[in-house]
Amino acid sequence: MDLVPALQEPLKKVLGPATAKVMAEHLGLHTVGDLLHHYPRRYEERGQLTHLADLPMDEHVTVVAQVADARLHTFASSKAPRGKGQRLEVTITDGSGRLQLVFFGNGVHKPHKELLPGTRAMFAGKVSVFNRRLQLAHPAYELLRGDTEGEETVESWAGALIPLYPATAKLESWKLAKAIQTVLPSAQEAVDPLPGSLREGRGLVSLPEALLKIHRPHTKADIEDARARLKWDEAFVLQVALARRRHAETQLPAVPRKPGPDGLLTAFDDRLPFTLTDGQQRVSREIFDDLATDHPMHRLLQGEVGSGKTLVALRAMLAVVDSGGQAVMLAPTEVLAQQHHRSVVEMMGELAEGGMLGGAEHATKVVLLTGSMGAAARRHALLDLATGEAGIVIGTHALIEDKVQFHDLGLVVVDEQHRFGVEQRDALRGKGKQPPHLLVMTATPIPRTVAMTVFGDLETSVLDQLPAGRSPIASHVVPAADKPHFLARAWERVREEVSNGHQAYVVCPRIGDEDDDPKKGAKKKAAQGEPPEGDAEKRPPLAVLDVAEQLAKGPLQGLKVEILHGRMQPDDKDAVMRRFAAGETDVLVATTVIEVGVNVPNATAMVIMDADRFGVSQLHQLRGRVGRGSAPGLCLLVSEMPEASAARQRLNAVASTRDGFELSRIDLEQRREGDVLGQAQSGARTSLRVLAVIEDEEIIAEARHEAAAVVAADPELTGLPGLRTALEALLDEEREQYLEKG
């Protein structure tokens, strides 16, 4: 008989329809197995048995005592104005001292009936002082009937660890605990996903034992055992899923792409006015080795803003064009696609003029394809793709549409992966006669473990040195509320940069063209450096339109100020960017649309308004937009948050280090991991319950190693039915999340 169904039993059969409905709607729990994997968030300790004579203040204690007397009082209060409020005062004694217990409101009825003088019971709660007397308010208690209760009962009740569960207003933690106690016997039938040898080799407890220990621990060691085991489950099952995906990819055929000895790549390298950094050469070798194999490359290229990722990607694209294929680069936004198109054409010069007069002998055509192109230009571009005339194509998600056909797609480069889902990757991959090679680029430094978890189906290359000639960026926090004169000085610094022939960005969190915005006055004051009424958290974030207007009339009067944001027409955005890049605009007030890819070497200063509203990694990305030329960069983080706040500490961290990997760790530690993993747009990665991506680095690395070995030996997992079941559950969740998104 198959034992799995006990855990697949619907909760409505076990707990009744009303409770099951709340669990499904508010906590996403549907089966007995789901409920068993709903782990306690923390544990309340009842405290050791204590004599009343030596009670510690503010600590949780458990006492065994006898009720001396109990009195019910009524009183008037705001909630019960007619003197209907009730308070039960119970005095207990254990022979060494006395203690008062109080119960209020509806909580008085049960103890009033049960705690009669002479009754013996165990009481647990937190000791506090009221009217200079010690008391326990609303203690938990358990009656001791007669003397048959041995000392063990008292001891075990007192020392108990009470699990507290992630709960909702509709379902309190103790109701969840009760429901879990009801289904806990089914834990015995949990099928273990870990191979026996792995479990024994690491001294991990079995899955049924881990479930019992996490929900009903007797000691703190029980909790540690359970967590250690459940962390391994999560890490291992996820890594097996990723290892199987990697294994499946190696089974796919791909056309090996090797550059010719004197082709386009050689011609391009000869044109470069500088030498590649050691890092660029190393990463290029890794990519070229992958491209030369007969199964598809899957590589993640990480590099700080300005580390030269685009150059490395372009060389890979040229190698593919050399071997007769086409390469496509996908950008998350039109602005960025246009930017990439411009910079690629500039870098290639006459090599990008294939089929034109004046084009070099090895030249190819570089085509831009975006959603907002006119019909004629679009038709022309699609024709170049289909005939193979265009060796390099740069565009947005428009490239994934059904109409788009390639002659021979050999390489897909995806920029800023966290804005681009696995499903879209697969759709584009389907455009090749055989699966194309894939290179994913990100400027967000990703700690090693997150790369293993989020992008675990990709091999990773890291560009960690900046090319020669990049200038240092000085970053400072500007506390606008504590020191308004600092903000005034910030605008003076911007004027100084402009008078030295440079340009500046001012970044705001909001656009500000929302109609229903009664608080515009507050934002205008803030832009002028006046503190807004009330808390900085409560006012709306500063907006581009307001700040630009304020600056043009106030501190930056006389300078050429323009705006840029995501809701502008693509042509308008492009025109603004062109003017800024050409040096016609002094100050660009923008939203984070400039975060990725806008390259203006003459821009040396950036002022980020309400900097506390951005994530650490995002601030680091934004900052990378200045100091791209030979002049040093300056980044000013403006915030009204008080000095002691966590937000200010985050900003101080950004100001004090240039190491993106260090900042991404800080970012992860401060945010819930789900946010970071969620960016991978995949259900499985956000289903981590006990595994902490940063703290459990070793477990993840070991699990990845073990998973690769298991999958290599038995790709279909035929010998591990428990692991197959766990994997199906994980992938079901992933598929379900994808369908919900779709």
Side-chain angles (χ1 to χ4, degrees), residues 590-637:
T591 55
T592 55
V593 290
I594 63 155
E595 175 186 1
V596 278
V598 177
N599 185 16
V600 181
N602 192 44
T604 52
M606 177 179 285
V607 181
I608 304 179
M609 307 301 291
D610 278 345
D612 47 272
R613 311 272 180 140
F614 299 94
V616 168
S617 296
Q618 196 175 25
L619 290 169
H620 181 60
Q621 288 264 112
L622 285 166
R623 167 171 70 183
R625 297 286 125 218
V626 293
R628 297 173 77 86
S630 52
L634 171 70
C635 177
L636 302 175
L637 307 166

Side-chain angles (χ1 to χ4, degrees), residues 36 39-40 43 161 163 165 180-181 183-190 205-219 222-223 225-227 229-230:
L36 286 173
Y39 308 132
Y43 299 84
L161 292 157
Y165 291 91
I180 286 168
Q181 293 301 344
V183 301
L184 206 49
S186 309
Q188 293 302 342
E189 300 180 18
V205 299
S206 70
L207 181 57
E209 189 182 335
L211 290 170
L212 283 172
K213 282 184 166 173
I214 200 147
H215 290 300
R216 199 188 276 167
H218 294 300
T219 62
D222 282 354
I223 301 171
D225 286 353
R227 288 178 69 85
R229 162 61 217 248
L230 295 167

